[in-house]
Amino acid sequence: MKLYNYFRSSASYRVRIGLEVKGLSFEYMPIHLLKDGGDQHKPSYKAELNAMAQVPVLEVTDEGGALVRLTQSVAILEYLNERWPDPPLLPKEAVARARVRSCVELINSGIQPLQNLGTMAEVRRLGGDDKAFAREAINRGLVALEAEAKRFSGEYLIGDALTLADVFLVPQMFGARRFQADVSLTPTLVALDKRLCELVPFQKAHPERQPDFSA
Ligand SMILES: N[C@@H](CCC(=O)N[C@@H](CS)C(=O)NCC(=O)O)C(=O)O
């Protein structure tokens, strides 16, 4: 398996956590998002790997032996969870499963796209303060997630088992700190994040532990 990714990308970080939780080994394929205008914008990358010019991309041999390339971290993680069901990253019970997916989407579509490189460049182009824009979007989203956590968390973000909600939470909290969002607004999430970051799969997936890390 190969993971085309970037150490600081939160969508990449999610997939690395999922791979580590499942105990799957993979080859790390670094895609530099900033150097020389960004590897993701190269025509060959867009043609062969990701037409959206984004990371991550997972290259994997499917059950029939064909080499496939998958994009979008939600789709990749759902695929990994279906193909390698242990340990499960979605609850068995339907309402709990919907709550996990709701946290996943809150982060995946409600926060992360608003702090993305492309979005921030567009805010700058329109004369706005990109960092303030991202910070505000993160604060708004995490305050909503904190409310969910207060109602539904146990040992983990939803209930008492590790799920995709936790896999998405940790990279988003990393992003929140990077953008200097106000994490004091979200004490439940801070406590969950702290506990999760002590788990070995989360440690191995951390941006600073990746081969392309640079400060
Ligand atoms: N929904 C996508 C988001 C992917 C995404 O936003 N990737 C970012 C890094 S976290 C990226 O490649 N940005 C490059 C750019 O904006 O030029 C996913 O979950 O995989």
Side-chain angles (χ1 to χ4, degrees):
M1 239 186 298
K2 287 183 182 168
L3 183 66
Y4 295 83
N5 75 133
Y6 181 59
F7 73 98
R8 201 161 38 209
S9 143
S10 66
S12 302
Y13 189 2
R14 299 166 187 163
V15 175
R16 292 197 302 265
I17 295 171
L19 287 163
E20 297 294 349
V21 167
K22 298 283 180 185
L24 298 167
S25 57
F26 62 96
E27 194 177 342
Y28 193 103
M29 308 297 287
I31 300 298
H32 204 296
L33 297 186
L34 299 169
K35 209 168 59 190
D36 302 328
D39 291 341
Q40 75 278 26
H41 296 298
K42 290 188 178 146
S44 60
Y45 182 83
K46 288 199 278 185
E48 289 160 32
L49 288 155
N50 188 329
M52 275 290 275
Q54 291 180 331
V55 288
V57 178
L58 183 76
E59 187 175 284
V60 58
T61 307
D62 75 6
E63 281 154 305
L67 193 69
V68 294
R69 286 173 176 161
L70 303 175
T71 61
Q72 298 293 336
S73 61
V74 175
I76 295 170
L77 284 158
E78 293 249 7
Y79 172 80
L80 292 175
N81 196 48
E82 285 166 17
R83 175 122 183 240
W84 290 279
D86 284 321
L89 286 172
L90 286 170
K92 280 205 173 66
E93 198 269 316
V95 172
R97 203 158 59 238
R99 291 205 199 292
V100 168
R101 288 189 166 125
S102 160
C103 294
V104 162
E105 279 312 317
L106 193 158
I107 293 170
N108 183 58
S109 61
I111 306 179
Q112 188 273 339
L114 302 170
Q115 66 174 53
N116 197 10
L117 275 180
T119 306
M120 290 180 68
E122 193 58 18
V123 172
R124 281 197 304 279
R125 197 183 67 78
L126 294 167
D129 180 341
D130 57 339
K131 292 193 178 65
F133 176 85
R135 212 165 27 244
E136 177 51 31
I138 295 169
N139 282 343
R140 196 171 52 240
L142 288 185
V143 164
L145 191 62
E146 171 77 10
E148 297 288 283
K150 280 211 171 95
R151 293 179 68 195
F152 304 119
S153 66
E155 291 281 305
Y156 293 91
L157 179 47
I158 298 295
D160 290 317
L162 179 78
T163 67
L164 287 180
D166 305 292
V167 171
F168 277 65
L169 174 66
V170 166
Q172 188 54 63
M173 294 303 281
F174 177 82
R177 292 194 177 90
R178 194 159 74 84
F179 286 100
Q180 294 167 321
D182 187 359
V183 293
S184 73
L185 300 170
T186 59
T188 314
L189 299 181
V190 169
L192 284 163
D193 176 58
K194 186 170 183 297
R195 279 210 306 279
L196 287 162
C197 284
E198 283 162 10
L199 304 176
V200 172
F202 287 75
Q203 286 178 0
K204 284 188 174 169
H206 193 277
E208 288 177 15
R209 298 265 305 260
Q210 306 316 307
D212 56 342
F213 168 75
S214 74

